Amino acid sequence: MQRQTITEIAAALREGSVTSRQLTEAALARIDAGDGALNAFITVTKDQALIAADAADAVLAAGNGGPLTGVPIAHKDIFCTRDILTTCGSRILDNFVSPYDATVVSNLAAAGAVVVGKTNMDEFAMGSSNETSFFGPVANPWDTARSPGGSSGGSAAAVAAGFVPAATGTDTGGSIRQPAALTGITGFKPTYGRVSRYGMIAFASSLDQAGVLSLTAEDAALMMQAIAGFDPRDSTSADCPVPEYAAVLGSSLEGKRVGIPAEFFDAGLEAESAACIRAAITVFEALGATAEEVSLPHIDASVPTYYIVAPAECSSNLSRFDGVRFGHRHADPKDLEELYKLTRKEGFGAEVKRRIMTGTYVLSAGYYDAYYLQAQKARQLIADDFRRCFESVDILAGPTTPTPAFRLGEKMDDPVQMYLNDIYTIGVNLAGLPGVSLPCGFSAGLPVGLQLIGPAFGEQTVLNFAHRYQQQTDWHLKTPDCVAGS
Ligand code: GLN
């Protein structure tokens, strides 16, 4: 059994060599056989998936439908799904069934995609290893003793293992790109505002952005076409037209300028990974682009800035989980105050509590100026650094993570070590830019990710560079042993 891309599946469906029902049954069977070892799914939606597959087959039989019609996919369990459990990886939502669909979910349903389940994730998307999930860690298909990254670790593992050709994810500080890098797949994070956040459970609202995990940039373009666009139900949604993403794929890189941020090749970057990234840049040069060193002088402030801004926003967003309106409620409180306290004590895990406490502290009257205000200023400086770079280059290229996949348990006792895993991804969220991670080699048998970053609303440029790279290389075709064995 080999992994198949959306593009290949769509062609087979149109040719009539396979039906959506057969594809969906096969995906469900792979999950059934393989997910015991990975724990990529929190909920498998077999019955709903088969109904959706039959509906897609009817559309296809009538000669209708688009490239996603009948294609099995999965949603990160942060997206609200009507009539299906939405946990956000937390005990506090372990019984929550949303009365409505997130816009990302309804857009993909309208495009005919078939949802086979909801994927595991770090609790409220807070984490870089999938170990903060109430539903247990996810294993990396390349080595089950290692983390697939996080917080979209379930989506990444499900795609890398060939359960589904694509899955949704969210990226607040790297949660699409980092797990894509650690599992050897393609992870695309659009510009802030490009995809609606309606129905996507909020972590840090000024940073959260939905995107996709897939096997190729070509497939990411197809998924993006379905989910991108203005949504009046999200006040930060960008009201600008969505271009045809697939239309630019394959265009020439002749004369394009690739910027290489010097700060991304620091002492923290593992040598073998650095060699893979450098080799990847020569592929763009061979395609006619030029590479030059650029500087992001304030990027070293990105992790500390993020760990003020994100907890501040999360402390506000997560105040809604109080046991009154939805989710878990303490069984026997003696009064209202105890209801709040014990519900939140039982419902939230340690990392979520750490962030809520940090956030409350940095927003408090006595410390607001010293922390939150300073962080907002630093954020602006970081965003300005990126903007300055894009005055002279078309795209930035560098590593996605400092090292390949680390062992489960390795960083759990040291939050700062865990936070530093996102050192190359977090600045992109602070600046609101689009970025992608692509497989570009291996270090000691583990995948290495190449990160490409574009200017705001430069999705087409990022996807085209990624696609041209994948036309020249075959790293994205390498599969973990568990795929061949299934
Ligand atoms: N790993 C980062 C964090 O823990 C980013 C998470 C994310 O992008 N959702 O906050």
Side-chain angles (χ1 to χ4, degrees):
M1 168 67 218
Q2 277 303 308
R3 300 186 304 197
Q4 272 191 309
T5 64
I6 294 178
T7 311
E8 289 161 353
I9 290 171
L13 282 168
R14 241 147 228 87
E15 225 174 73
S17 58
V18 71
T19 63
S20 175
R21 189 174 183 100
Q22 288 167 334
L23 286 167
T24 303
E25 281 173 346
L28 291 165
R30 287 195 295 273
I31 295 166
D32 207 31
D35 203 36
L38 298 181
N39 198 26
F41 281 86
I42 293 176
T43 304
V44 176
T45 50
K46 179 172 180 230
D47 296 342
Q48 294 96 326
L50 292 174
I51 292 167
D54 288 342
D57 281 329
V59 170
L60 289 162
N64 297 323
L68 298 181
T69 306
V71 176
I73 62 157
H75 284 303
K76 183 176 182 179
D77 209 16
I78 197 168
F79 292 100
C80 286
T81 42
R82 199 177 52 215
D83 303 333
I84 298 167
L85 196 63
T86 299
T87 69
C88 219
S90 182
R91 184 180 182 201
I92 212 156
L93 288 177
D94 69 353
N95 60 0
F96 174 62
V97 178
S98 164
Y100 65 93
D101 280 332
T103 299
V104 163
V105 170
S106 55
N107 282 349
L108 282 164
V114 173
V115 178
V116 298
K118 306 284 297 285
T119 58
N120 202 345
M121 56 180 284
D122 279 299
E123 185 177 8
F124 285 102
M126 297 174 199
S128 309
S129 69
N130 228 289
E131 292 167 289
T132 72
S133 170
F134 174 63
F135 301 89
V138 177
N140 190 320
W142 291 89
D143 175 352
T144 52
R146 291 178 190 269
S147 165
S151 65
S152 310
S155 286
V159 173
F163 294 164
V164 282
T168 55
T170 61
D171 193 313
T172 303
S175 279
I176 290 175
R177 291 160 290 153
Q178 185 255 16
L182 302 195
T183 58
I185 61 167
T186 302
F188 185 76
K189 174 223 176 273
T191 307
Y192 180 78
R194 181 74 286 189
V195 175
S196 170
R197 292 185 296 108
Y198 178 75
M200 188 176 114
I201 295 174
F203 160 15
S205 308
S206 76
L207 299 158
D208 296 341
Q209 182 58 201
V212 297
L213 297 106
S214 56
L215 294 170
T216 63
E218 195 176 18
D219 283 2
L222 296 174
M223 291 285 284
M224 275 300 295
Q225 203 69 52
I227 64 173
F230 176 62
D231 182 359
R233 289 182 292 195
D234 170 3
S235 62
T236 58
S237 171
D239 192 1
C240 53
V242 180
E244 272 292 322
Y245 293 119
V248 296
L249 298 184
S251 41
S252 171
L253 300 187
E254 200 67 49
K256 299 278 184 211
R257 296 171 74 172
V258 180
I260 303 160
E263 294 80 2
F264 280 14
F265 292 82
D266 58 0
L269 179 61
E270 186 228 25
E272 193 57 37
S273 300
C276 294
I277 307 299
R278 299 258 183 222
I281 292 163
T282 65
V283 173
F284 296 123
E285 290 176 311
L287 288 167
T290 57
E292 61 202 84
E293 196 171 283
V294 294
S295 178
L296 296 167
H298 300 95
I299 201 75
D300 61 339
S302 62
V303 172
T305 300
Y306 173 91
Y307 280 99
I308 292 171
V309 174
E313 295 184 17
C314 108
S315 70
S316 167
N317 276 325
L318 271 59
S319 64
R320 73 192 60 168
F321 303 106
D322 54 10
V324 175
R325 285 159 292 187
F326 27 60
H328 175 78
R329 175 184 296 172
H330 176 69
D332 188 25
K334 67 175 188 316
D335 55 27
L336 185 62
E337 188 162 329
E338 204 181 89
L339 166 80
Y340 295 147
K341 279 190 184 160
L342 295 179
T343 296
R344 287 166 71 83
K345 177 180 176 199
E346 293 164 358
F348 291 137
E351 182 62 26
V352 173
K353 286 176 184 155
R354 182 180 295 127
R355 306 250 182 141
I356 292 173
M357 286 191 289
T358 309
T360 311
Y361 179 80
V362 299
L363 289 176
S364 63
Y367 294 96
Y368 182 93
D369 287 356
Y371 294 104
Y372 188 72
L373 207 61
Q374 284 298 106
Q376 294 293 14
K377 289 179 185 166
R379 181 177 186 172
Q380 192 57 51
L381 292 173
I382 293 162
D384 288 345
D385 285 354
F386 279 104
R387 202 170 309 119
R388 214 168 296 117
C389 285
F390 289 117
E391 284 168 9
S392 57
V393 300
D394 296 289
I395 202 154
L396 298 175
T400 309
T401 59
T403 65
F406 47 89
R407 290 186 179 281
L408 288 164
E410 192 178 314
K411 297 184 197 281
M412 269 312 261
D413 295 334
D414 187 346
V416 174
Q417 271 310 309
M418 189 69 93
Y419 297 168
L420 286 172
N421 213 258
D422 297 317
I423 194 153
Y424 307 130
T425 51
I426 269 178
V428 175
N429 300 77
L430 290 167
L433 304 176
V436 70
S437 180
L438 309 170
C440 70
F442 288 88
S443 170
L446 296 167
V448 174
L450 164 71
Q451 182 176 208
L452 301 176
I453 303 162
F457 297 97
E459 275 77 17
Q460 287 174 296
T461 304
V462 177
L463 288 167
N464 185 45
F465 266 85
H467 179 63
R468 293 306 312 264
Y469 181 78
Q470 291 181 333
Q471 285 180 317
Q472 301 298 314
T473 58
D474 63 359
W475 300 114
H476 60 292
L477 302 177
K478 307 280 184 214
T479 55
D481 287 345
C482 67
V483 174
S486 65

